[in-house]
Each structure stands twice: as C-alpha cells, then as structure tokens.
Amino acid sequence: MAEDLTTRILIEIRDEMRKTREELGSRIDKTNERLDKTNERLDRLEQRQHEGEIRLATEIVAVAAAVRQLTEHLRDDREVRAQVADHERRLAILETNRAPGE
C-alpha cells in the first residue's frame, strides 16, 4: 500500500513536471517571438538612424559650402568697400584742389 502511494505521488510529480515543461516551453516560444519582433524593430531603427546620419552629414557639407561662399563674398565686399572709400577720398581731394569756376 505504501508502495502504491509512493508510485502515485511520483506519477503526479512527473505529470506536473511535464505540464510545467509544456507551459514553460510555450512561454519561451512567445518570449522568443516577441524578442524577434523587437530585434526587427531595432534593425529598422538602426537603418533609419544610419540614413538620418547620412542626410545630416550631407546637409552639414552643404552648409559648410554655403558658409565658405558667404565668407568669400564678404571678403570681396570688404575689398570693394575699401576701394570705393579710397576713390571717394581721392575724388574729394581732387574736388577741393580744383579752382572755382573750372
């Protein structure tokens, strides 16, 4: 009789372990599916980030070129302004040295 009780308890333990293993297997499968989806989203995010970095780098190059052009224009403008100021000064000298009525 004690042997039957021990056998029944062992059978119940075995059955519970099988049930637990099946439940855990199912949960692990669901977790793996969610992990796969998460990895897919991370891959898409990484791709979008990479594309964004490329666009940003391209725009930075364009801004640098625009700044370089603006700098050149400002230098040219400064040179022209200096020339105009020099010409105006020289004209003023010529006009003041002219005799009246000439």
Side-chain angles (χ1 to χ4, degrees):
M1 189 111 152
E3 200 173 289
D4 291 338
L5 180 61
T6 303
T7 304
R8 260 190 327 182
I9 291 173
L10 288 174
I11 290 172
E12 286 178 16
I13 291 172
R14 181 196 66 195
D15 292 344
E16 284 296 319
M17 288 182 69
R18 284 180 180 164
K19 182 180 173 187
T20 301
R21 187 177 61 210
E22 288 173 6
E23 289 173 358
L24 285 175
S26 174
R27 291 180 77 181
I28 288 171
D29 290 343
K30 289 178 184 177
T31 300
N32 286 339
E33 287 175 19
R34 289 195 327 253
L35 184 59
D36 289 342
K37 288 178 183 178
T38 300
N39 286 338
E40 289 172 9
R41 288 195 316 260
L42 285 173
D43 289 343
R44 286 193 308 266
L45 180 61
E46 182 181 22
Q47 181 63 33
R48 286 177 40 207
Q49 181 179 0
H50 180 70
E51 291 168 357
E53 288 172 353
I54 289 172
R55 284 193 303 271
L56 182 60
T58 302
E59 292 304 317
I60 287 173
V61 168
V63 167
V67 168
R68 207 170 20 258
Q69 286 178 345
L70 180 61
T71 302
E72 290 173 14
H73 287 300
L74 290 173
R75 283 187 189 132
D76 292 345
D77 183 62
R78 194 175 347 166
E79 289 175 14
V80 169
R81 285 178 187 256
Q83 275 184 326
V84 169
D86 180 56
H87 290 162
E88 287 179 355
R89 181 186 59 77
R90 290 165 60 195
L91 281 173
I93 291 171
L94 288 174
E95 286 175 350
T96 55
N97 288 339
R98 250 167 77 190
E102 287 184 29

XYZ file of all heavy atoms in Angstrom:
838
model
N 0.806 -1.185 0.000
C 0.000 0.000 0.000
C 0.862 1.269 0.000
O 0.542 2.199 -0.717
C -0.882 -0.048 1.229
C -1.878 0.998 1.221
S -3.471 0.307 0.992
C -4.410 1.426 1.781
N 1.891 1.282 0.825
C 2.807 2.416 0.866
C 3.489 2.566 -0.481
O 3.776 3.667 -0.929
C 3.824 2.235 1.974
N 3.737 1.418 -1.121
C 4.371 1.450 -2.424
C 3.440 2.060 -3.461
O 3.878 2.831 -4.322
C 4.733 0.014 -2.830
C 5.781 -0.048 -3.900
C 6.219 -1.471 -4.125
O 6.893 -2.042 -3.260
O 5.845 -1.993 -5.195
N 2.136 1.783 -3.396
C 1.157 2.377 -4.303
C 1.069 3.885 -4.097
O 0.963 4.641 -5.067
C -0.228 1.758 -4.092
C -0.297 0.315 -4.555
O 0.544 -0.060 -5.399
O -1.186 -0.407 -4.095
N 1.102 4.308 -2.858
C 1.047 5.744 -2.539
C 2.281 6.438 -3.087
O 2.183 7.501 -3.708
C 0.932 5.945 -1.029
C 0.868 7.400 -0.568
C -0.363 8.089 -1.148
C 0.853 7.466 0.944
N 3.429 5.836 -2.903
C 4.680 6.416 -3.411
C 4.645 6.484 -4.928
O 5.015 7.498 -5.531
C 5.887 5.565 -2.952
O 5.875 5.478 -1.530
C 7.189 6.170 -3.415
N 4.156 5.444 -5.561
C 4.069 5.416 -7.016
C 3.116 6.498 -7.514
O 3.410 7.210 -8.484
C 3.591 4.026 -7.501
O 4.466 3.026 -6.985
C 3.561 3.955 -9.012
N 1.965 6.643 -6.849
C 1.000 7.681 -7.247
C 1.603 9.074 -7.097
O 1.445 9.927 -7.960
C -0.261 7.569 -6.383
C -1.376 6.848 -7.080
C -2.652 6.967 -6.334
N -2.379 7.021 -4.888
C -3.278 7.096 -3.942
N -4.533 7.139 -4.263
N -2.970 7.133 -2.680
N 2.302 9.300 -6.010
C 2.922 10.624 -5.783
C 3.969 10.889 -6.853
O 4.040 11.990 -7.417
C 3.519 10.697 -4.364
C 2.398 10.707 -3.333
C 4.396 11.930 -4.218
C 2.872 10.610 -1.892
N 4.772 9.896 -7.155
C 5.795 10.063 -8.201
C 5.156 10.314 -9.564
O 5.642 11.132 -10.357
C 6.707 8.832 -8.250
C 7.674 8.682 -7.071
C 8.410 7.340 -7.156
C 8.648 9.831 -7.020
N 4.063 9.623 -9.847
C 3.350 9.838 -11.118
C 2.791 11.253 -11.173
O 2.899 11.946 -12.202
C 2.232 8.775 -11.302
C 2.859 7.410 -11.572
C 1.289 9.154 -12.434
C 1.862 6.251 -11.577
N 2.234 11.736 -10.073
C 1.700 13.107 -10.026
C 2.825 14.121 -10.206
O 2.658 15.120 -10.926
C 0.968 13.340 -8.699
C -0.377 12.648 -8.608
C -1.049 12.875 -7.252
O -0.629 13.788 -6.511
O -1.987 12.130 -6.952
N 3.943 13.871 -9.563
C 5.091 14.775 -9.722
C 5.542 14.791 -11.176
O 5.800 15.851 -11.764
C 6.254 14.353 -8.781
C 5.866 14.606 -7.323
C 7.537 15.093 -9.138
C 6.855 14.041 -6.314
N 5.635 13.606 -11.793
C 6.024 13.504 -13.199
C 5.055 14.269 -14.090
O 5.454 15.046 -14.968
C 6.083 12.040 -13.616
C 6.516 11.875 -15.074
C 6.208 10.503 -15.602
N 4.748 10.360 -15.640
C 4.111 9.198 -15.774
N 4.786 8.080 -15.853
N 2.795 9.144 -15.808
N 3.758 14.079 -13.840
C 2.749 14.756 -14.653
C 2.827 16.272 -14.486
O 2.704 17.020 -15.465
C 1.351 14.243 -14.295
C 1.126 12.786 -14.715
O 1.928 12.285 -15.545
O 0.166 12.161 -14.212
N 3.032 16.720 -13.267
C 3.162 18.165 -13.009
C 4.410 18.715 -13.691
O 4.389 19.820 -14.235
C 3.209 18.448 -11.501
C 1.863 18.351 -10.814
C 0.884 19.407 -11.311
O 1.279 20.584 -11.519
O -0.289 19.054 -11.508
N 5.488 17.970 -13.676
C 6.719 18.413 -14.336
C 6.506 18.514 -15.842
O 6.969 19.459 -16.480
C 7.865 17.464 -14.009
C 8.346 17.599 -12.563
S 9.725 16.522 -12.187
C 10.997 17.274 -13.151
N 5.798 17.542 -16.429
C 5.501 17.607 -17.864
C 4.661 18.830 -18.190
O 4.917 19.547 -19.157
C 4.769 16.344 -18.314
C 5.659 15.145 -18.454
C 4.873 13.942 -18.909
N 5.752 12.776 -19.042
C 5.319 11.541 -19.124
N 4.013 11.284 -19.101
N 6.164 10.535 -19.249
N 3.648 19.054 -17.370
C 2.763 20.206 -17.578
C 3.562 21.498 -17.449
O 3.430 22.415 -18.273
C 1.630 20.173 -16.553
C 0.644 21.285 -16.698
C -0.449 21.177 -15.648
C -1.339 22.390 -15.694
N -2.307 22.396 -14.601
N 4.412 21.578 -16.430
C 5.233 22.779 -16.226
C 6.181 22.973 -17.400
O 6.355 24.098 -17.891
C 6.035 22.654 -14.914
O 5.127 22.483 -13.835
C 6.892 23.873 -14.678
N 6.793 21.888 -17.889
C 7.699 21.983 -19.026
C 6.966 22.474 -20.266
O 7.464 23.318 -21.016
C 8.352 20.620 -19.284
C 9.445 20.717 -20.348
C 10.153 19.408 -20.558
N 9.178 18.417 -21.023
C 9.266 17.123 -20.781
N 10.247 16.643 -20.071
N 8.351 16.283 -21.252
N 5.757 21.986 -20.507
C 4.973 22.435 -21.655
C 4.614 23.910 -21.531
O 4.714 24.667 -22.504
C 3.698 21.594 -21.782
C 3.936 20.174 -22.248
C 2.662 19.333 -22.196
O 1.581 19.880 -21.915
O 2.762 18.116 -22.435
N 4.197 24.328 -20.336
C 3.854 25.736 -20.116
C 5.081 26.628 -20.306
O 5.000 27.678 -20.942
C 3.261 25.925 -18.723
C 1.873 25.345 -18.561
C 1.377 25.412 -17.112
O 2.137 25.877 -16.229
O 0.239 24.989 -16.870
N 6.194 26.193 -19.740
C 7.422 26.973 -19.901
C 7.858 27.013 -21.361
O 8.303 28.059 -21.853
C 8.544 26.394 -19.034
C 8.442 26.673 -17.547
C 9.544 25.943 -16.790
C 8.486 28.162 -17.262
N 7.737 25.887 -22.053
C 8.078 25.867 -23.479
C 7.231 26.836 -24.266
O 7.733 27.564 -25.128
N 5.938 26.879 -23.959
C 5.036 27.810 -24.636
C 5.417 29.256 -24.327
O 5.455 30.099 -25.226
C 3.602 27.523 -24.197
O 2.734 28.488 -24.720
N 5.713 29.512 -23.069
C 6.091 30.879 -22.681
C 7.414 31.279 -23.325
O 7.588 32.420 -23.753
C 6.176 30.996 -21.169
C 4.799 30.886 -20.511
C 4.892 31.011 -19.034
N 5.082 32.414 -18.697
C 5.213 32.858 -17.472
N 5.181 32.019 -16.458
N 5.378 34.134 -17.229
N 8.345 30.349 -23.392
C 9.636 30.632 -24.030
C 9.428 30.926 -25.513
O 10.028 31.856 -26.064
C 10.623 29.461 -23.811
C 11.073 29.436 -22.352
C 11.824 29.572 -24.747
C 11.880 28.211 -21.968
N 8.549 30.144 -26.175
C 8.257 30.395 -27.589
C 7.672 31.793 -27.788
O 8.073 32.520 -28.704
C 7.297 29.339 -28.138
C 7.940 27.967 -28.266
O 9.188 27.881 -28.252
O 7.182 26.969 -28.370
N 6.735 32.179 -26.928
C 6.135 33.524 -27.032
C 7.179 34.597 -26.779
O 7.219 35.624 -27.459
C 4.972 33.658 -26.049
C 3.750 32.857 -26.441
C 2.646 32.992 -25.415
C 1.452 32.112 -25.774
N 0.399 32.179 -24.764
N 8.033 34.355 -25.796
C 9.092 35.327 -25.498
C 10.045 35.454 -26.688
O 10.453 36.568 -27.046
C 9.870 34.895 -24.233
O 8.961 34.822 -23.131
C 10.986 35.873 -23.913
N 10.384 34.341 -27.300
C 11.258 34.380 -28.471
C 10.617 35.137 -29.630
O 11.288 35.876 -30.347
C 11.654 32.962 -28.895
C 12.671 32.342 -27.963
O 13.368 33.044 -27.241
N 12.752 31.019 -27.966
N 9.309 34.950 -29.815
C 8.604 35.694 -30.871
C 8.672 37.185 -30.603
O 8.939 37.975 -31.515
C 7.144 35.242 -30.945
C 6.928 33.875 -31.533
C 5.472 33.432 -31.464
O 4.580 34.294 -31.302
O 5.220 32.216 -31.561
N 8.421 37.575 -29.358
C 8.487 38.999 -29.014
C 9.906 39.526 -29.190
O 10.114 40.644 -29.664
C 7.999 39.222 -27.582
C 6.505 39.030 -27.433
C 5.933 39.583 -26.136
N 6.777 39.525 -24.988
C 6.644 38.700 -23.944
N 5.645 37.838 -23.924
N 7.457 38.735 -22.927
N 10.874 38.722 -28.823
C 12.270 39.122 -28.980
C 12.616 39.287 -30.460
O 13.304 40.250 -30.840
C 13.187 38.087 -28.329
C 14.673 38.397 -28.315
C 14.946 39.699 -27.579
C 15.432 37.259 -27.655
N 12.126 38.382 -31.301
C 12.358 38.509 -32.740
C 11.744 39.796 -33.284
O 12.374 40.509 -34.078
C 11.784 37.304 -33.490
C 12.583 36.026 -33.258
O 13.751 36.121 -32.817
O 12.028 34.928 -33.517
N 10.534 40.110 -32.857
C 9.886 41.352 -33.298
C 10.664 42.568 -32.809
O 10.834 43.548 -33.546
C 8.444 41.408 -32.802
C 7.530 40.442 -33.511
C 6.120 40.502 -32.962
C 5.220 39.462 -33.630
N 3.865 39.477 -33.079
N 11.136 42.505 -31.589
C 11.922 43.611 -31.040
C 13.212 43.789 -31.834
O 13.605 44.915 -32.157
C 12.249 43.358 -29.555
O 11.030 43.250 -28.825
C 13.084 44.483 -28.977
N 13.853 42.687 -32.172
C 15.079 42.759 -32.970
C 14.810 43.350 -34.348
O 15.611 44.135 -34.861
C 15.724 41.376 -33.096
C 16.400 40.950 -31.814
O 16.754 41.759 -30.977
N 16.590 39.647 -31.657
N 13.680 42.998 -34.942
C 13.312 43.568 -36.242
C 13.125 45.072 -36.124
O 13.587 45.835 -36.981
C 12.036 42.913 -36.769
C 12.202 41.485 -37.224
C 10.870 40.814 -37.566
O 9.831 41.511 -37.608
O 10.880 39.587 -37.779
N 12.428 45.499 -35.067
C 12.226 46.942 -34.869
C 13.563 47.650 -34.639
O 13.789 48.743 -35.152
C 11.270 47.196 -33.709
C 9.835 46.849 -34.027
C 8.834 47.431 -33.042
N 9.179 47.316 -31.651
C 8.711 46.396 -30.803
N 7.870 45.485 -31.230
N 9.068 46.402 -29.546
N 14.443 47.027 -33.872
C 15.757 47.624 -33.642
C 16.550 47.717 -34.941
O 17.249 48.710 -35.176
C 16.543 46.808 -32.605
C 16.105 46.979 -31.163
C 16.846 45.989 -30.269
C 16.330 48.395 -30.685
N 16.449 46.699 -35.786
C 17.132 46.746 -37.077
C 16.604 47.900 -37.932
O 17.381 48.617 -38.567
C 16.963 45.421 -37.833
C 17.762 44.279 -37.216
O 18.690 44.555 -36.412
O 17.442 43.106 -37.518
N 15.276 48.061 -37.942
C 14.687 49.177 -38.709
C 15.127 50.512 -38.125
O 15.457 51.448 -38.869
C 13.167 49.069 -38.717
C 12.625 47.974 -39.616
C 11.121 48.090 -39.842
N 10.344 48.191 -38.625
C 9.783 47.162 -37.983
N 9.919 45.938 -38.459
N 9.069 47.346 -36.892
N 15.150 50.598 -36.811
C 15.577 51.839 -36.156
C 17.037 52.140 -36.473
O 17.391 53.284 -36.766
C 15.373 51.723 -34.645
C 15.774 52.933 -33.807
C 14.956 54.151 -34.203
C 15.586 52.626 -32.329
N 17.868 51.114 -36.448
C 19.278 51.299 -36.776
C 19.432 51.785 -38.214
O 20.222 52.685 -38.491
C 20.029 49.984 -36.579
C 21.515 50.083 -36.855
C 22.222 48.756 -36.678
O 21.554 47.703 -36.759
O 23.441 48.773 -36.465
N 18.652 51.210 -39.129
C 18.707 51.624 -40.527
C 18.263 53.078 -40.676
O 18.901 53.857 -41.378
C 17.828 50.705 -41.397
C 17.836 51.050 -42.868
C 19.200 50.895 -43.495
O 19.981 50.041 -43.122
N 19.501 51.728 -44.473
N 17.172 53.434 -39.993
C 16.689 54.818 -40.064
C 17.716 55.774 -39.475
O 17.917 56.879 -39.991
C 15.354 54.947 -39.344
C 14.213 54.337 -40.132
C 12.881 54.371 -39.428
N 12.605 55.580 -38.717
C 11.812 55.662 -37.658
N 11.209 54.594 -37.202
N 11.603 56.808 -37.058
N 18.359 55.373 -38.385
C 19.372 56.225 -37.777
C 20.537 56.415 -38.740
O 21.038 57.531 -38.910
C 19.870 55.627 -36.465
C 20.919 56.492 -35.783
C 21.386 55.905 -34.471
O 20.933 54.845 -34.054
N 22.293 56.592 -33.829
N 20.948 55.340 -39.380
C 22.045 55.418 -40.343
C 21.675 56.353 -41.498
O 22.476 57.203 -41.901
C 22.367 54.014 -40.860
C 23.485 53.977 -41.846
N 24.790 54.215 -41.503
C 23.476 53.728 -43.179
C 25.541 54.123 -42.579
N 24.773 53.827 -43.610
N 20.466 56.205 -42.013
C 20.011 57.075 -43.105
C 19.964 58.526 -42.649
O 20.340 59.439 -43.392
C 18.644 56.623 -43.599
C 18.669 55.286 -44.325
C 17.280 54.704 -44.553
O 16.276 55.305 -44.107
O 17.195 53.632 -45.182
N 19.497 58.738 -41.411
C 19.452 60.098 -40.871
C 20.839 60.698 -40.732
O 21.051 61.888 -41.012
N 21.787 59.891 -40.308
C 23.165 60.376 -40.178
C 23.734 60.751 -41.536
O 24.453 61.747 -41.657
C 24.039 59.313 -39.505
C 23.750 59.141 -38.033
C 24.468 57.949 -37.411
O 25.090 57.167 -38.163
O 24.389 57.806 -36.181
N 23.410 59.962 -42.546
C 23.894 60.278 -43.896
C 23.282 61.592 -44.376
O 23.978 62.456 -44.915
C 23.580 59.121 -44.876
C 24.463 57.917 -44.553
C 23.771 59.562 -46.329
C 24.104 56.670 -45.324
N 21.960 61.748 -44.166
C 21.310 63.010 -44.576
C 21.909 64.185 -43.826
O 22.165 65.250 -44.405
C 19.808 62.932 -44.326
C 19.056 62.097 -45.342
C 17.544 62.297 -45.236
N 17.012 62.010 -43.923
C 16.597 60.814 -43.508
N 16.675 59.785 -44.322
N 16.111 60.650 -42.298
N 22.145 64.016 -42.540
C 22.717 65.091 -41.721
C 24.115 65.445 -42.210
O 24.451 66.632 -42.343
C 22.748 64.674 -40.249
C 23.275 65.695 -39.261
C 22.430 66.970 -39.303
C 23.289 65.117 -37.857
N 24.927 64.445 -42.486
C 26.286 64.705 -42.974
C 26.239 65.448 -44.309
O 27.024 66.382 -44.532
C 27.051 63.392 -43.114
N 25.315 65.055 -45.180
C 25.172 65.725 -46.470
C 24.797 67.193 -46.275
O 25.359 68.085 -46.928
C 24.101 65.009 -47.321
O 24.493 63.651 -47.485
C 23.933 65.671 -48.669
N 23.867 67.442 -45.383
C 23.449 68.824 -45.127
C 24.562 69.644 -44.489
O 24.720 70.821 -44.777
C 22.192 68.844 -44.248
C 20.952 68.313 -44.943
C 20.640 69.052 -46.240
O 20.728 70.301 -46.261
O 20.313 68.392 -47.230
N 25.343 69.014 -43.618
C 26.460 69.729 -42.994
C 27.477 70.142 -44.047
O 27.998 71.263 -44.020
C 27.114 68.868 -41.890
C 26.187 68.801 -40.676
C 28.485 69.406 -41.495
C 26.641 67.840 -39.597
N 27.728 69.257 -44.999
C 28.646 69.588 -46.097
C 28.081 70.764 -46.896
O 28.812 71.692 -47.258
C 28.892 68.357 -46.998
C 29.594 68.743 -48.289
C 29.690 67.308 -46.247
N 26.778 70.745 -47.165
C 26.150 71.838 -47.919
C 26.230 73.148 -47.140
O 26.518 74.205 -47.723
C 24.695 71.484 -48.234
N 25.997 73.094 -45.835
C 26.081 74.312 -45.015
C 27.510 74.838 -45.002
O 27.747 76.046 -45.105
C 25.564 74.038 -43.573
C 25.920 75.167 -42.635
C 24.062 73.812 -43.592
N 28.486 73.934 -44.878
C 29.888 74.357 -44.880
C 30.236 75.046 -46.198
O 30.927 76.077 -46.205
C 30.801 73.158 -44.637
N 29.740 74.506 -47.309
C 29.992 75.122 -48.615
C 29.344 76.510 -48.690
O 29.948 77.461 -49.185
C 29.476 74.228 -49.737
N 28.127 76.616 -48.173
C 27.438 77.910 -48.186
C 28.175 78.930 -47.319
O 28.315 80.100 -47.695
C 25.999 77.740 -47.696
N 28.664 78.502 -46.166
C 29.423 79.405 -45.288
C 30.708 79.851 -45.977
O 31.099 81.019 -45.906
C 29.715 78.729 -43.927
C 30.736 79.502 -43.128
C 28.427 78.566 -43.139
N 31.363 78.915 -46.663
C 32.589 79.250 -47.391
C 32.295 80.299 -48.475
O 33.037 81.279 -48.619
C 33.158 77.973 -48.003
C 34.630 77.989 -48.212
C 35.266 76.655 -48.600
N 34.408 75.630 -49.151
C 33.953 74.567 -48.467
N 34.265 74.400 -47.208
N 33.179 73.675 -49.050
N 31.207 80.115 -49.214
C 30.837 81.079 -50.257
C 30.513 82.434 -49.647
O 30.926 83.479 -50.165
C 29.632 80.576 -51.049
C 29.950 79.452 -51.995
C 28.697 78.965 -52.717
O 27.572 79.274 -52.328
N 28.900 78.185 -53.769
N 29.780 82.424 -48.552
C 29.433 83.678 -47.886
C 30.683 84.395 -47.401
O 30.806 85.625 -47.550
C 28.487 83.404 -46.717
C 28.028 84.628 -45.921
C 27.267 85.601 -46.817
C 27.169 84.190 -44.752
N 31.619 83.641 -46.858
C 32.877 84.233 -46.402
C 33.617 84.888 -47.562
O 34.128 86.013 -47.436
C 33.764 83.148 -45.741
O 33.039 82.567 -44.664
C 35.061 83.718 -45.232
N 33.658 84.203 -48.707
C 34.314 84.765 -49.890
C 33.618 86.051 -50.338
O 34.283 87.046 -50.672
C 34.322 83.744 -51.025
C 35.254 82.575 -50.788
C 35.123 81.497 -51.857
O 34.509 81.766 -52.916
O 35.627 80.386 -51.617
N 32.300 86.042 -50.347
C 31.556 87.238 -50.747
C 31.815 88.391 -49.785
O 31.970 89.548 -50.218
C 30.048 86.954 -50.817
C 29.645 86.116 -51.990
N 29.855 86.482 -53.293
C 29.034 84.907 -52.042
C 29.406 85.547 -54.098
N 28.901 84.563 -53.354
N 31.862 88.101 -48.504
C 32.126 89.153 -47.524
C 33.537 89.728 -47.689
O 33.730 90.946 -47.588
C 31.939 88.629 -46.099
C 30.490 88.336 -45.700
C 30.447 87.655 -44.336
C 29.667 89.613 -45.689
N 34.501 88.859 -47.978
C 35.869 89.350 -48.228
C 35.900 90.239 -49.474
O 36.509 91.319 -49.470
C 36.824 88.177 -48.404
C 37.213 87.522 -47.126
C 38.296 86.473 -47.347
N 38.492 85.724 -46.127
C 38.554 84.411 -46.053
N 38.443 83.689 -47.147
N 38.739 83.809 -44.904
N 35.239 89.772 -50.543
C 35.181 90.567 -51.772
C 34.507 91.909 -51.511
O 34.971 92.957 -51.981
C 34.432 89.819 -52.877
C 35.181 88.588 -53.367
O 36.390 88.468 -53.068
O 34.544 87.741 -54.033
N 33.407 91.878 -50.750
C 32.677 93.102 -50.436
C 33.565 94.062 -49.644
O 33.562 95.273 -49.897
C 31.414 92.774 -49.639
C 30.586 94.012 -49.363
O 30.119 94.650 -50.327
O 30.424 94.348 -48.159
N 34.326 93.533 -48.707
C 35.203 94.377 -47.887
C 36.265 95.033 -48.768
O 36.575 96.226 -48.606
C 35.866 93.543 -46.803
C 36.504 94.387 -45.747
C 37.066 93.614 -44.588
N 36.628 92.233 -44.552
C 37.184 91.301 -43.812
N 38.202 91.595 -43.049
N 36.744 90.063 -43.827
N 36.810 94.275 -49.735
C 37.812 94.835 -50.641
C 37.197 95.932 -51.509
O 37.804 96.993 -51.711
C 38.398 93.732 -51.518
C 39.306 92.776 -50.773
C 39.771 91.621 -51.648
O 39.613 91.705 -52.895
O 40.289 90.645 -51.088
N 35.994 95.686 -52.031
C 35.322 96.681 -52.871
C 35.003 97.926 -52.047
O 35.193 99.064 -52.511
C 34.048 96.087 -53.509
C 33.201 97.169 -54.157
C 34.421 95.017 -54.529
N 34.538 97.737 -50.828
C 34.240 98.895 -49.978
C 35.499 99.724 -49.718
O 35.442 100.950 -49.729
C 33.639 98.447 -48.652
C 32.207 97.994 -48.755
C 31.702 97.514 -47.394
N 30.395 96.931 -47.509
C 29.284 97.543 -47.131
N 29.343 98.742 -46.596
N 28.128 96.945 -47.279
N 36.618 99.047 -49.496
C 37.875 99.770 -49.269
C 38.265 100.555 -50.518
O 38.706 101.718 -50.426
C 38.973 98.791 -48.876
N 38.089 99.940 -51.697
C 38.401 100.632 -52.957
C 37.490 101.841 -53.143
O 37.945 102.926 -53.523
C 38.224 99.692 -54.148
C 39.410 98.834 -54.447
C 39.165 98.020 -55.713
O 38.043 97.618 -55.989
N 40.235 97.773 -56.455
N 36.195 101.664 -52.904
C 35.239 102.769 -53.061
C 35.582 103.894 -52.091
O 35.581 105.081 -52.462
C 33.792 102.271 -52.854
C 32.816 103.439 -52.739
C 33.381 101.345 -53.995
N 35.898 103.552 -50.860
C 36.259 104.581 -49.872
C 37.515 105.313 -50.322
O 37.594 106.555 -50.212
C 36.465 103.932 -48.504
N 38.486 104.586 -50.849
C 39.714 105.227 -51.336
C 39.407 106.145 -52.508
O 39.901 107.274 -52.568
C 40.733 104.159 -51.757
C 42.024 104.776 -52.266
O 42.625 105.578 -51.498
O 42.426 104.459 -53.405
N 38.559 105.696 -53.441
C 38.198 106.526 -54.599
C 37.439 107.779 -54.149
O 37.682 108.882 -54.670
C 37.365 105.734 -55.602
C 38.141 104.677 -56.313
N 37.537 103.636 -56.958
C 39.476 104.472 -56.497
C 38.445 102.851 -57.509
N 39.635 103.343 -57.224
N 36.529 107.619 -53.227
C 35.780 108.791 -52.733
C 36.723 109.783 -52.061
O 36.585 110.996 -52.236
C 34.680 108.339 -51.765
C 33.522 107.659 -52.472
C 32.442 107.193 -51.506
O 32.628 107.309 -50.281
O 31.413 106.701 -51.991
N 37.683 109.264 -51.297
C 38.643 110.159 -50.641
C 39.464 110.901 -51.682
O 39.651 112.125 -51.591
C 39.551 109.319 -49.730
C 40.596 110.129 -48.966
C 41.562 109.237 -48.200
N 42.293 108.298 -49.055
C 43.330 108.622 -49.838
N 43.777 109.855 -49.889
N 43.934 107.707 -50.567
N 39.911 110.202 -52.717
C 40.723 110.827 -53.758
C 39.902 111.836 -54.563
O 40.405 112.916 -54.928
C 41.310 109.757 -54.665
C 42.394 108.951 -53.928
C 42.796 107.671 -54.591
N 43.338 107.865 -55.918
C 43.499 106.886 -56.811
N 43.153 105.652 -56.505
N 43.996 107.135 -57.997
N 38.636 111.520 -54.830
C 37.769 112.473 -55.531
C 37.555 113.736 -54.697
O 37.551 114.852 -55.225
C 36.421 111.832 -55.861
C 36.401 110.913 -57.069
C 35.052 110.215 -57.190
C 36.694 111.698 -58.338
N 37.362 113.515 -53.408
C 37.169 114.673 -52.525
C 38.398 115.563 -52.547
O 38.288 116.799 -52.572
C 36.868 114.198 -51.102
N 39.581 114.952 -52.572
C 40.823 115.748 -52.641
C 40.883 116.498 -53.960
O 41.218 117.691 -53.994
C 42.058 114.825 -52.466
C 42.122 114.309 -51.041
C 43.339 115.551 -52.825
C 43.183 113.227 -50.825
N 40.564 115.839 -55.057
C 40.591 116.489 -56.361
C 39.589 117.647 -56.428
O 39.875 118.697 -56.979
C 40.291 115.477 -57.483
C 41.382 114.465 -57.799
C 40.887 113.445 -58.805
C 42.629 115.186 -58.334
N 38.394 117.426 -55.866
C 37.368 118.469 -55.908
C 37.781 119.677 -55.051
O 37.483 120.798 -55.385
C 36.032 117.889 -55.440
C 35.402 116.986 -56.464
C 34.121 116.316 -55.960
O 33.820 116.415 -54.751
O 33.437 115.689 -56.788
N 38.447 119.431 -53.949
C 38.831 120.560 -53.076
C 40.030 121.283 -53.669
O 40.227 122.475 -53.417
C 39.202 120.083 -51.664
O 40.202 119.098 -51.729
C 37.993 119.585 -50.932
N 40.845 120.634 -54.476
C 42.017 121.275 -55.077
C 41.674 121.989 -56.379
O 42.496 122.737 -56.912
C 43.122 120.239 -55.362
C 43.766 119.766 -54.078
O 43.694 120.440 -53.061
N 44.361 118.595 -54.130
N 40.495 121.788 -56.908
C 40.084 122.470 -58.121
C 39.781 123.924 -57.850
O 39.234 124.274 -56.810
C 38.806 121.818 -58.647
C 39.077 121.060 -59.907
C 37.992 120.166 -60.309
N 36.864 120.845 -60.935
C 35.729 120.269 -61.204
N 35.498 119.039 -60.864
N 34.767 120.880 -61.789
N 40.168 124.704 -58.767
C 39.886 126.141 -58.624
C 38.426 126.379 -58.906
O 37.820 125.700 -59.725
C 40.746 126.934 -59.594
N 37.814 127.349 -58.255
C 36.407 127.648 -58.521
C 36.215 128.081 -59.969
O 37.028 128.782 -60.535
C 36.097 128.797 -57.563
C 37.266 128.943 -56.661
C 38.403 128.171 -57.247
N 35.127 127.648 -60.545
C 34.810 128.028 -61.913
C 35.453 127.135 -62.949
O 35.308 127.364 -64.120
N 36.201 126.203 -62.568
C 36.819 125.302 -63.547
C 35.862 124.279 -64.014
O 35.029 123.762 -63.472
C 38.041 124.599 -62.963
C 39.225 125.480 -62.816
C 40.431 124.691 -62.324
O 40.544 123.487 -62.595
O 41.243 125.280 -61.643
